[in-house]
Amino acid sequence: MGDRASSLHRPALTRSQHPIARLCHIASRPWSKTTRSAAMKAKCFVMAGALAGAGIAAMPASAASAALARDVVSEAVSSASMRRELALSAPQLSSAWQAQRLHASQGAALRARMGRDYAGSWIEADAAGRYRWVVASSGAGRVSLPAGAELRYVRHRLATLQAAKARLDAAVAGKRFAGVSRDLSGLQSWYVDPRSNAVVVSIARGGEREAADLIAASGADASVLRLEVSSQRPQPNVSIFGGMVYFRHPSWCSGAFAVTQGAVPGFLTAGHCGQPGKEVWEKDGESVLVGVFMASQFPGKDQAWVRTSIFWTLYALVADYQGGFLPVHGSVEAPVGSPVCRSGGGSGYQCGWVTATQVTVNYPEGAIYGLSQSNACSAGGDSGGAWIDGLGQAQGVHSGNASSRADRSNCDIPQDQRQSWFQPINPILLEYQLGLVTQ
């Protein structure tokens, strides 16, 4: 603790001089799949949105924030990263963000006006690659939409789909007895998909009978269900090998956004990464104490927060694993179809699209409810990491993915077949009474 305290009086370092910044740059280079290389990549200790450590804590908070705002944080970084990861042109990405802003500003009011006819909304590209906000209606009447939005008529209203999903949730959440209740391991996930106007149920190959059993037991309306067969399996993204993002021996995870509970600093992470009272360390072997798990839930939810000591300085940043950082401005939820990226020590910084919300995922440890889904890739060690959109809005905490690989990666799967999941951030903040650190 003496060394940590004395570091507060060291000369301030520039971004290029800072050892964490240099290590982030090194870690972002191509790396092999060996344990040693993976461990080196993970040594950029990023509480994905909360950079912490003796060196960066050396700068006074105000000076550090100003310097990082000038040198590191810019919307250009976000744009460049997303364009690279998603292979979009600048006009295409701009149109996607414009559609997202339209949803954020008018979505709630439009849903209220449409009432029971509302059938969901999402963002999608037209034939020319330009993005627009699509609003679905199950009614026959005309709806006045803002410029840039498109109305689409469908059969089922959103409430009907949500009711069917709720019945599936209730059926799988019912009391079950090992050796007596039917096995449900073939059931992977289910969610309301406004784009297909159905409840999509993902099952393992050969899991059709288990799906039929669950549907029959739930009483859900089978006419609104659509089965999809997947060769992958859901699993939390935690790895059991040495590295440094943060450790709860013998495993390691990534951290998410910097938060506070009153005057108490901390960061968000995944619930399966640790239980309340468990200590978090900078390196394996209990080297430097980072903090302690204050609250954790898994299964049911996959969320937790870690209290850090006063010697760890929190920043409203997310590492892009290219030597730069993205700003955190808020936590407005992005709709289905929005571009989104995730940051974590397992696979670095990866981008994709929000493909579903309110997803139920049936992990081996139990079902998790209310997750959001994306086709951005992820891997072991990414658990607990940050999901953020291009507008600087925090989206959630990484939970897991569908993969059949031993290293828990789905980065080799075609993007249109990938499933990665995150716990939305706003319910976590509300439940734990936390404030998100923002710029």
Side-chain angles (χ1 to χ4, degrees), residues 25-26 28 48 111 139 145 154 165 168 185 190 202 219 298 308 330 397 402-403 413 420 430 432:
H25 179 69
I26 294 171
S28 68
R111 178 172 183 170
L145 295 182
V154 296
K165 179 185 177 293
L168 296 178
S185 60
W190 46 96
S202 179
F298 181 81
T308 60
V397 176
S403 173
I413 300 172
S420 294
L430 182 62
Y432 295 153

Side-chain angles (χ1 to χ4, degrees), residues 175-191:
K175 192 168 185 179
R176 306 184 60 77
F177 300 91
V180 178
S181 301
R182 286 188 179 275
D183 178 31
L184 295 180
S185 60
L187 291 165
Q188 298 185 342
S189 64
W190 46 96
Y191 61 92

Side-chain angles (χ1 to χ4, degrees), residues 325-343:
F325 306 92
L326 299 106
V328 179
H329 296 315
S331 59
V332 177
E333 182 178 353
V336 169
S338 298
V340 67
C341 300
R342 45 147 301 278
S343 179

Side-chain angles (χ1 to χ4, degrees), residues 64-78:
S65 298
L68 289 169
R70 287 194 305 270
D71 300 338
V72 185
V73 181
S74 69
E75 295 297 340
V77 173
S78 176

Side-chain angles (χ1 to χ4, degrees), residues 96-277:
W97 285 350
Q98 182 59 36
Q100 191 172 329
R101 291 188 181 97
L102 191 61
H103 165 84
S105 64
Q106 303 196 41
L110 181 59
R111 178 172 183 170
R113 285 205 312 273
M114 294 177 67
R116 67 193 305 271
D117 290 339
Y118 181 76
S121 68
W122 62 94
I123 294 172
E124 71 175 29
D126 61 18
R130 293 183 297 268
Y131 288 84
R132 61 193 184 278
W133 180 36
V134 180
V135 180
S137 172
S138 61
R142 296 190 61 82
V143 180
S144 176
L145 295 182
E150 174 186 320
L151 182 65
R152 194 165 297 173
Y153 292 99
V154 296
R155 179 180 179 184
H156 305 292
R157 62 180 185 266
L158 182 63
T160 300
L161 303 180
Q162 291 174 329
K165 179 185 177 293
R167 285 184 173 272
L168 296 178
D169 287 348
V172 79
K175 192 168 185 179
R176 306 184 60 77
F177 300 91
V180 178
S181 301
R182 286 188 179 275
D183 178 31
L184 295 180
S185 60
L187 291 165
Q188 298 185 342
S189 64
W190 46 96
Y191 61 92
V192 171
D193 181 22
R195 294 168 297 185
S196 63
N197 195 226
V199 177
V200 177
V201 182
S202 179
I203 62 175
R205 198 170 302 281
E208 292 83 358
R209 182 173 179 177
E210 295 169 35
D213 287 343
L214 177 67
I215 293 168
S218 71
D221 182 358
S223 68
V224 304
L225 305 181
R226 178 165 61 87
L227 300 185
E228 289 186 347
V229 178
S230 172
S231 60
Q232 315 306 321
R233 63 180 182 273
Q235 55 191 356
N237 286 148
V238 61
S239 291
I240 313 298
F241 69 90
M244 190 208 298
V245 176
Y246 75 77
F247 276 87
R248 188 188 68 79
H249 186 76
S251 63
W252 62 277
C253 284
S254 298
F257 304 94
V259 295
T260 58
Q261 189 181 72
V264 178
F267 65 92
L268 299 179
T269 189
H272 71 264
C273 288
Q275 297 300 313

